[in-house]
Amino acid sequence: MSKKIFLSGIQPSGRPHIGNYFGAMKQFVELQQEYAGFVIIVDYHALHSLRDAKEMRENIIAVLLDFLAIGLDPKKVTIFKQSDISEHTELTWIFDTITTMPYLMRAHAFKDALAKDKEIDVGTFNYPVLMAADILLYSPDLVPVGADQKQHVEICRDIAMKFNNVYGETFKLPEPMIMKDVAVVPGTDGRKMSKSYNNTIPLFAEYEEIKKAVMSIVTDSVGGFPKNVYAIHKLIRPEGELKKIYEEKAGKYKELKEMLIEDLERFIVPLREKRKAFEKDIPKALAILKAGGEKAKKIAAAKMAEVREKVGVNVY
Ligand code: TYM
């Protein structure tokens, strides 16, 4: 019997942070034991915020090295980049023709941009449709993501249902997988950890960076309990242990932060070391990405042939 499939993606829009890791990437490593995986570096998605070719290239390679360093096994997980598979943008167009504007106007990301009076490009508006194509081309069972992507997976399911209703059963409906405890990893200011809020702890941070980030954690507290420090600490130390320590050291923010720095360093060191080893052979890492793209292409092309047949454009 063939294995079940998981699929997910990450934008090469900067360095992954521990929110990306605990919210999503860690699940990829765990799921690869039982599932066949597809993990996509979604470079076309990142274009809406990144318009610097050099930085884009560097980020794509950086995310690839990150994936290898956290332990994704290319034999179990197909790692590829979105722009290698033209079927993603092709299918997006077909989905565009069955998706209404009022429906997409309900998307959180669009509503947020509108509320902030930002100039909204069509790519940002269309973002969830491209994400639906990313997912549906590979018929995954599970899509492991953080809570901020829940609505996008729901939109993906709606688009699949709409297509199936109009053209006949074609796409499998995927399930989102959102880990309750890490659905929203908070940043150093207590809001969701996010590159755009500048409140991140990079996953492969050097010691000094960890220190600087932790020292900047906002210590709003009740009864000497710094909840923002604790919220990050509990990602890497069992709560049973932590609760006692935080009770004993109530109000001693500096000490608690120092402990968090040491714990983060202990957690990050092996990841950082592994990443440095992969950095030494970038051509080898790129070969993995390219081979992943070739494998993904075959699957995407087969699905797209089915879609062309369903919509009636295959006349030869
Ligand atoms: P992106 O690149 O913003 O984030 C990658 C993954 O990290 C999760 N995440 C978090 N989880 C918990 N707490 C946080 N503070 C936190 N910040 C980020 C995100 O939920 C995500 O799972 N649209 C997607 C990329 C994408 C995708 C896909 C995902 C494109 N196509 C297909 C799955 C399937 C995004 O922007 O993720």
Side-chain angles (χ1 to χ4, degrees), residues 9 11 19-20 127 131 134 145-146 148-149 182-183 185 192-193:
Q11 295 189 61
N20 298 130
Y127 186 109
M131 179 156 159
D134 294 342
V145 282
D148 60 352
Q149 299 299 316
V182 286
V185 173
K192 182 188 90 162
M193 187 173 287

Side-chain angles (χ1 to χ4, degrees), residues 7-13 17-25 28 40 42 45 82 127 130-132 134-135 143-149 152-153 182-187 191-195:
L7 177 145
S8 198
I10 183 161
Q11 295 189 61
S13 51
H17 48 72
I18 61 169
N20 298 130
Y21 179 74
F22 287 101
M25 294 161 77
F28 309 165
I40 319 175
V42 290
H45 271 123
Q82 192 182 36
Y127 186 109
L130 178 57
M131 179 156 159
D134 294 342
I135 297 171
V143 180
V145 282
D148 60 352
Q149 299 299 316
H152 286 155
V153 181
V182 286
V184 184
V185 173
R191 293 187 293 172
K192 182 188 90 162
M193 187 173 287
S194 165
K195 290 161 214 163

Side-chain angles (χ1 to χ4, degrees), residues 39-298:
V39 171
I40 319 175
I41 301 175
V42 290
D43 44 2
Y44 279 167
H45 271 123
L47 275 179
H48 79 95
S49 63
L50 177 57
R51 293 177 181 158
D52 181 307
K54 182 171 172 284
E55 211 177 309
M56 177 66 93
R57 272 185 219 109
E58 284 169 3
N59 287 357
I60 290 170
I61 294 172
V63 173
L64 170 64
L65 295 173
D66 296 347
F67 281 152
L68 297 172
I70 62 167
L72 286 189
D73 177 351
K75 290 197 201 79
K76 296 177 177 156
V77 177
T78 307
I79 305 172
F80 66 102
K81 75 180 166 69
Q82 192 182 36
S83 60
D84 280 351
I85 319 289
S86 52
E87 281 79 358
H88 290 229
T89 43
E90 185 181 355
L91 184 58
T92 300
W93 175 257
I94 292 180
F95 286 162
D96 278 345
T97 65
I98 57 163
T99 309
T100 69
M101 299 244 314
Y103 176 76
L104 284 185
M105 284 162 93
R106 298 207 297 265
H108 302 317
F110 171 74
K111 287 206 285 193
D112 287 352
L114 201 62
K116 286 182 191 141
D117 235 2
K118 282 194 187 156
E119 202 172 53
I120 302 163
D121 52 82
V122 178
T124 300
F125 183 63
N126 217 16
Y127 186 109
V129 185
L130 178 57
M131 179 156 159
D134 294 342
I135 297 171
L136 296 172
L137 280 170
Y138 303 92
S139 316
D141 300 279
L142 264 194
V143 180
V145 282
D148 60 352
Q149 299 299 316
K150 182 166 184 268
Q151 192 192 34
H152 286 155
V153 181
E154 282 162 4
I155 293 174
C156 166
R157 288 171 58 93
D158 284 348
I159 292 176
M161 271 191 279
K162 181 84 183 276
F163 189 98
N164 290 348
N165 279 336
V166 175
Y167 294 110
E169 200 61 29
T170 308
F171 293 111
K172 177 155 143 189
L173 303 192
E175 293 293 336
M177 172 186 166
I178 299 168
M179 304 299 280
K180 203 168 126 274
D181 289 345
V182 286
V184 184
V185 173
T188 52
D189 57 0
R191 293 187 293 172
K192 182 188 90 162
M193 187 173 287
S194 165
K195 290 161 214 163
S196 50
Y197 294 152
N198 222 351
N199 63 356
T200 67
I201 301 178
L203 178 58
F204 296 91
E206 296 290 338
Y207 185 75
E208 284 306 316
E209 276 180 291
I210 298 174
K211 199 166 153 190
K212 193 165 158 229
V214 171
M215 284 307 175
S216 76
I217 296 176
V218 179
T219 44
D220 287 348
S221 66
V222 179
F225 179 84
K227 65 177 189 331
N228 293 339
V229 183
Y230 184 85
I232 294 175
H233 218 155
K234 77 178 168 67
L235 298 168
I236 49 172
R237 218 187 233 241
E239 284 203 76
E241 271 176 47
L242 268 192
K243 280 202 175 109
K244 252 178 73 200
I245 298 172
Y246 275 65
E247 270 162 26
E248 277 164 26
K249 296 191 183 294
K252 296 182 178 159
Y253 303 148
K254 188 158 175 286
E255 268 183 53
L256 289 169
K257 281 185 173 182
E258 278 163 359
M259 188 179 282
L260 174 57
I261 293 169
E262 295 314 313
D263 285 349
L264 274 170
E265 170 72 0
R266 208 167 304 126
F267 162 71
I268 291 177
V269 160
L271 293 175
R272 230 165 42 205
E273 296 309 313
K274 261 184 99 180
R275 195 181 189 286
K276 282 189 181 137
F278 283 110
E279 270 167 30
K280 289 196 183 118
D281 197 350
I282 300 217
K284 187 172 166 200
L286 285 175
I288 292 173
L289 187 67
K290 196 154 174 250
E294 282 157 11
K295 191 169 161 207
K297 179 81 184 178
K298 288 197 191 114

